[in-house]
């Protein structure tokens, strides 16, 4: 038996043996077609962003295809991940529309951070690149710099990092987007964080447990996450677990995790499907938040989750050398790896790029057309790349003199107990900007003095729901670290005490976080 | 607001807003009362094991309570975890009965490895301690050594480790039991691994994703795991997520993961409930395995899972100093922490220990009564502590000369590609004792030569189900490492290639595994 042969693109999951009644757990919505001009704008934004993203992977010159491509135009080393980009761009376009329509305060946490081309292209279109990097101005020269410089020395990185406007999460090691998103909304009642989770990433332990994080969100004091699971069915070279689960299995799983689950998968009119579903998600969030804020909190609210099923590498090459690319793992990275030396692949690249009709999307000077701009948020601070929540949000804590908590010379006290006292006072003094995340070790770490004025914040527990406790104790070092990162990178202070021996569990997360922090400081 | 106050023991979960139809996903069974003599034996085994486990935590002398307890009898430093023990012992007693009744080949993987007293007590009762450690013979002296030596220098450790007969999984850092259990059953068609997962442990990322492991088990070639989620509702000092989820939420979650879910929670007749449920689990496993082995494989079989809801610290002290202990987080470690200095606590300890009526459980010479022995497997190799699968199971691989895969002096070849060729041949030569576990990086690590003669083993995927592929690619370094550990510690060879930068993700798992291996070599 050789490695399995997948005989068609975008294969559907096998039917499960789960009872059919479970199908009703998936949310049904009336199909409302979007206004024609919105539809057109969304589609043009996407064509432009997909064009730029694809060009970034391949072109070092001739970035607007003003003449036929030659081998000379192709980068010497082709780097970048195409497969995830069309889905990320689909989401980006709709978030833009949603922000505009509802005047939202929103940021975007992107799990598949290897999809940097998608995000950088969208940021360029909305003007967030030029805002921070004048070399990426919204004109021909800026576009040339963006495309030709991507993934080359001195140019833009292949993964989302601290240099990416609006990002609070480093790409690379997968699994932490969701917990970071949940940390970011805590104590930000008006913030909505859209979070894309890859179906590959979803197989990681840290993500698998982070779904429970909704149970630690008090809708009175905190904002909301809209998780969007991007089920494009493939990882680097194998199918994904979620991609092989049918509607019933997925609906059961997410119901169990605490969500209402909506599938977005109408490839014929994906805009209506995505638009209606995001509207629904916002409505559900509003319902939950309003109830909590007007003293009629819903116990165990079922938050919305969106399961987005689109082909991997959608709109890219369909077949290369007889093999499926679109809707297959082969679109994960560079779909035309021989574009620099093979005539056919070069031609395929030209055809692919031409399919987006860049001439209709960019004005003579290279800037995006008005039609595209019409779905981009008007106010700069509402653009996903410029929301102040992700830029310089830090407000120092109010801290009392630590010396008050010391003992007299010659006296004795457990230093952890002293720290507990100090934290107790600090939590009192900073009721909405200091939190403690602990893997159920607060008491055993002798920090329980903090419970003098606060409690735990576990909404599924009758004894601590609705009360605004400042402590979350979940037996997941990954969640604790992720919450801490999201909370801290949006300007507040999260503390994650742990046994030293168990800190190694999240050693690589700490390294990634430290790197992010260091780079963030170095970015102008 | 101070820390929350829990006003009753063993609090039930809040009702969810999940539709009632979901309730039908939980498996219903007719209640069949067990034969009276079996019932009696089970109960006596448990009383004896609970007695010993409790005594291990407290007593350094007078271990059979032959006179009233004095402070002198109490260990100077009280160490150990009581809360999880009664549940582990309940499971142990029923596994014994099941093995005997069905002539099973079974091992036991214990997630809450801090419950070592429960396991050591059970191992002593079945004679597996004396088999490997003559000092723990089944008589008075042996019992004295077992109890008084526990968690003291030179005595038995407080957590399950390589010295614990029958164990293939180190206690301590929680989260890996389930993936280890799944690794152990691969290519062992007749093996059943019972695996207890704590509801605290279940919050960890590595466990949360390991539930999907059933999707990588081919019932034709591999055995089965019976996962038993021990929902005693509390961790060290906070409630658990699973403990706050109602039947509907739990049934939905586990259905989504791919299981049929059975609640065991009839505290009035827990033996009937547990007995019937384990019988059901075996029946379901048989059905799935027989179908696969007689060429009528079930696509997406729904494996059984048992959700065991019992009070934490069941049968221990009910209240101490006005606080609930049984059914509360306060039973997690030492329920009577002042037993060495406080008269009341010493008396409470005496009352507690007396409640098990040790005089009825041990003969004059200190050995367990016949009634207890009647549910212990007769054959030594079927005892959970002595199954050869966990003891010295290693059979060397058939390996070809690696030099055949080298290149001529001066020649050139990617060394990863050469290794791929060598692995290809090795997989061919060792069709049931060599496997590769990879976080979807096999191709990108240039090891894809292995796909010349084998494929992937993903039962949810129509293109690789039922085919016995030797490769599992799950985007979870934790699962890969856990599978590798379980497979390797039961005598086969698992390979887990990874990018160096991502190996840090499971750094602490590697350390724990290395420690286990080192100690296992040192154990006589
Ligand atoms: C923890 C971790 N393990 C392995 C990898 C290697 N890797 C990079 S991308 C990828 C596949 C990701 O799949 P998915 O999350 O579905 O993203 P998409 O398909 O949208 O690209 C893998 C396994 C990684 N980045 N992080
Ligand atoms: C990864 C990890 N984090 C934290 C701990 C500290 N710890 C030891 S026991 C425990 C609670 C375990 O709860 P559960 O799994 O439900 O076991 P049980 O209640 O049966 O004792 C915790 C948090 C640990 N052992 N491992």
């Amino acid at each position: 038996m050789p490695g399995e042969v997948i005989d068609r693109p975008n294969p559907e999951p096998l039917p499960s043996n789960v009872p059919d009644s479970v199908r009703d757990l998936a949310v049904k919505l009336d199909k409302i077609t979007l206004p024609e001009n919105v539809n057109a704008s969304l589609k043009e934004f996407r064509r432009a962003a997909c064009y730029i993203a694809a060009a970034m992977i391949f072109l070092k010159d001739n970035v607007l295809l003003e003449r036929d491509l030659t081998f000379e135009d192709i980068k010497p080393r082709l780097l970048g991940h195409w497969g995830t980009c069309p889905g990320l761009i689909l989401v980006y376009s709709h978030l833009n529309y949603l922000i505009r329509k509802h005047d939202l305060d929103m940021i975007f946490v992107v799990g598949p951070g290897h999809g940097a081309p998608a995000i950088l292209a969208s940021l360029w279109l909305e003007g967030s690149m030029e805002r921070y990097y004048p070399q990426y101005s919204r004109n021909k020269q800026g576009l040339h710099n963006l495309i030709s410089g991507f993934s080359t020395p001195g140019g833009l990185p292949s993964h989302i990092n601290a240099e990416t406007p609006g990002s609070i999460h480093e790409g690379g090691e997968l699994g932490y987007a969701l917990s970071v998103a949940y940390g970011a909304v805590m104590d930000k009642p008006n913030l909505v964080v859209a979070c894309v989770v890859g179906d590959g990433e979803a197989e990681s332990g840290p993500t698998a447990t982070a779904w429970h994080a909704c149970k630690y969100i008090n809708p009175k004091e905190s904002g909301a996450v809209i998780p969007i699971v991007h089920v494009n069915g493939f990882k680097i070279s194998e199918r994904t677990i979620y991609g092989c689960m049918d509607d019933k299995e997925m609906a059961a799983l997410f119901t169990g995790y605490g969500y209402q689950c909506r599938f977005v998968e109408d490839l014929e009119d994906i805009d209506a499907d995505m638009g209606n579903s995001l509207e629904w998600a916002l409505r559900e969030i509003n319902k939950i938040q309003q109830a909590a804020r007007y003293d009629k909190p819903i116990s165990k609210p079922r938050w919305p989750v969106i399961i987005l099923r689109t082909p991997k590498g959608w709109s890219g090459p369909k077949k290369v050398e007889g093999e499926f690319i679109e809707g297959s793992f082969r679109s994960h990275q560079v779909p035309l790896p021989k574009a620099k030396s093979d005539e056919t692949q070069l031609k395929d690249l030209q055809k692919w790029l031409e399919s987006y009709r860049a001439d209709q999307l960019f004005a003579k000077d290279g800037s995006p057309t008005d039609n595209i701009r019409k779905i981009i948020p008007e106010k700069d601070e509402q653009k996903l790349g410029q929301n102040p929540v992700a830029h310089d949000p830090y407000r120092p804590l109010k801290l009392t003199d630590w010396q008050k908590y010391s003992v007299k010379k010659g006296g004795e006290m457990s230093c952890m107990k002293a720290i507990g006292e100090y934290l107790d006072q600090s939590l009192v003094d900073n009721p909405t900007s200091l939190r403690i995340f602990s893997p159920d070790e607060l008491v055993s770490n002798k920090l329980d003095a903090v419970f003098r004025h606060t409690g735990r914040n576990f909404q599924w527990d009758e004894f601590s729901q609705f009360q605004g406790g400042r402590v979350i104790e979940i037996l997941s070092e990954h969640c604790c670290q992720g919450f801490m990162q999201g909370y801290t990178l949006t300007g507040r202070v999260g503390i994650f005490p742990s046994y030293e021996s168990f800190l190694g569990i999240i050693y690589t997360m700490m390294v990634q976080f430290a790197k992010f922090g260091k780079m963030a400081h170095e970015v102008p």
Side-chain angles (χ1 to χ4, degrees), chain A:
Chain A
M1 186 195 76
E4 60 284 354
V5 177
I6 298 182
D7 63 7
R8 59 190 185 278
N10 207 27
E12 64 287 4
L14 285 169
S16 72
N17 295 304
V18 171
D20 284 336
S21 61
V22 169
R23 218 181 288 277
D24 296 336
L25 293 175
V27 171
K28 265 145 225 95
L29 298 173
D30 290 336
K31 178 169 169 180
I32 304 171
T33 313
L34 298 180
E36 215 165 301
N37 59 332
V38 173
N39 244 326
S41 285
L42 284 166
K43 286 191 170 50
E44 286 179 30
F45 180 96
R46 285 211 295 280
R47 274 163 51 204
C50 280
Y51 175 84
I52 297 172
M56 285 169 90
I57 297 173
F58 291 96
L59 303 187
K60 68 171 194 203
D61 202 359
N62 188 16
V63 301
L64 273 168
L65 245 55
E66 286 163 317
R67 45 178 172 77
D68 278 353
L69 285 179
T70 67
F71 292 139
E72 281 302 292
D73 297 328
I74 309 296
K75 292 183 184 179
R77 220 181 137 198
L78 301 180
L79 287 171
H81 295 76
W82 165 250
T84 194
C85 287
L88 293 181
I89 289 168
L90 172 66
V91 173
Y92 207 112
S93 67
H94 276 271
L95 296 181
N96 274 344
Y97 175 54
L98 208 67
I99 293 170
R100 249 186 110 108
K101 190 163 164 209
H102 295 278
D103 202 28
L104 293 180
D105 189 16
M106 179 182 268
I107 61 171
F108 190 21
V109 173
V110 179
H114 48 282
I119 304 305
L120 294 169
S122 304
L123 289 167
W124 183 85
L125 285 171
E126 73 181 27
S128 294
M129 291 305 289
E130 70 183 0
R131 161 89 188 265
Y132 302 102
Y133 304 98
Q135 67 271 37
Y136 303 124
S137 52
R138 276 192 287 181
N139 54 29
K140 244 181 181 168
Q141 187 57 45
L143 191 60
H144 174 87
N145 293 345
L146 182 81
I147 290 176
S148 66
F150 173 76
S151 220
T152 63
L156 290 160
S158 66
H159 287 64
I160 293 172
N161 69 2
E163 294 168 354
T164 313
S167 81
I168 58 165
H169 175 58
E170 176 96 18
E173 192 178 299
L174 296 168
Y176 316 126
L178 193 60
S179 56
V180 167
Y182 274 104
V185 299
M186 291 176 191
D187 297 325
K188 292 255 176 221
N190 299 320
L191 186 66
V192 179
V193 176
C195 177
V196 169
V197 174
D199 52 351
E201 175 179 21
E203 295 176 9
S204 72
T207 300
T209 195
W211 292 112
H212 291 291
C214 63
K215 302 182 171 111
Y216 296 91
I217 295 297
N218 178 352
K220 184 162 182 169
E221 79 217 358
S222 291
V225 174
I226 303 183
I228 301 165
V229 193
H230 186 198
V231 182
N232 58 19
F234 290 93
K235 301 174 280 199
I236 298 181
S237 63
E238 162 69 313
R239 293 184 77 178
T240 61
I241 295 177
Y242 283 5
C244 293
M245 285 166 67
D246 70 0
D247 287 10
K248 294 185 284 184
E249 294 173 283
M250 289 293 276
L253 183 67
F254 283 94
T255 301
Y257 270 131
Y259 297 82
Q260 295 180 73
C261 150
R262 165 74 190 166
F263 295 99
V264 174
E265 55 187 352
D266 178 2
L267 300 187
E268 299 302 310
D269 190 354
I270 198 73
D271 286 306
D273 204 356
M274 191 69 180
N276 292 335
S277 303
L278 283 169
E279 288 290 336
W280 160 80
L282 266 195
R283 277 198 308 275
E284 293 300 309
I285 288 170
N286 263 324
K287 231 186 283 176
I288 295 168
Q289 291 182 340
Q290 293 308 310
R293 291 169 198 183
Y294 291 95
D295 286 333
K296 293 204 179 329
I298 301 166
S299 177
K300 296 193 168 182
R302 298 181 59 208
W303 296 93
V305 64
I306 286 176
I307 315 294
L308 172 63
R309 289 190 179 131
T310 63
K312 191 153 180 167
W314 203 17
S315 77
K318 301 241 179 297
K319 270 198 166 188
V320 174
E321 299 186 352
E323 306 270 27
F324 298 112
I325 307 297
E326 188 192 57
S328 143
F329 67 87
R330 290 193 198 83
S331 68
H332 181 67
Q333 294 192 354
V334 180
L336 295 160
K338 301 186 198 153
K340 196 167 177 69
S341 56
D342 179 298
E343 279 291 349
T344 319
Q345 296 210 358
L346 185 71
K347 288 235 169 68
D348 283 350
L349 176 61
Q350 171 135 352
K351 251 190 287 172
W352 170 22
L353 291 175
E354 280 173 354
S355 73
Y356 298 113
R357 304 295 316 265
D359 52 313
Q360 302 171 348
L361 307 170
F362 304 100
K364 282 258 141 59
D365 67 349
S367 67
T369 59
D370 281 351
N371 226 7
I372 291 177
R373 289 174 194 244
K374 266 189 212 136
I375 55 141
I376 293 170
E378 273 172 299
K379 296 179 222 155
D380 275 348
E381 69 273 18
Q382 282 187 322
K383 293 175 178 167
L384 290 172
Q386 297 178 51
N387 192 312
V389 163
H391 291 283
D392 193 30
Y394 180 62
R395 303 287 164 272
L397 293 180
K398 193 178 154 226
L399 294 176
T400 36
D401 180 12
W402 61 266
Q403 299 202 345
K404 278 197 266 173
Y405 299 87
S406 56
V407 279
K408 278 225 186 75
K409 219 169 167 169
E412 243 184 66
M413 186 178 184
S414 141
C415 64
M416 288 307 280
K417 281 208 180 285
I419 293 172
E421 310 271 344
Y422 183 69
L423 286 178
D424 170 41
Q425 188 58 44
S426 306
L427 287 168
V428 170
D429 292 340
N430 302 277
T432 60
S433 53
L434 179 62
R435 283 196 182 228
I436 299 179
F437 308 106
S438 146
D440 188 33
E441 294 166 358
L442 207 75
V443 172
S444 59
N445 273 325
K446 301 200 187 118
L447 294 173
D448 42 325
V450 303
F451 290 129
R452 243 174 254 150
H453 296 92
T454 191
R456 300 191 181 87
N457 197 327
F458 180 22
Q459 299 304 307
W460 254 236
D461 169 23
E462 63 178 294
F463 305 106
S464 59
Q465 67 177 182
F466 312 145
Q467 293 177 47
R470 302 282 89 198
V471 175
I472 290 176
E473 299 217 70
I474 182 171
L475 207 172
S476 163
E477 282 75 8
H478 295 102
C479 277
C480 290
Q481 176 74 12
F483 294 162
M484 187 275 276
Q485 291 182 192
Y487 195 68
T488 301
L489 288 179
T490 47
R492 292 76 56 75
V493 175
I495 298 177
F496 166 23
S498 165
Y499 302 163
E500 191 182 341
S501 60
F502 294 152
L503 260 187
I505 294 172
I506 46 92
Y507 152 67
T508 51
M509 283 183 88
M510 289 197 292
V511 171
Q512 219 167 304
F513 183 59
K515 184 176 150 202
F516 192 95
K518 175 173 181 288
M519 286 195 80
H521 274 292
E522 290 165 2
V523 173

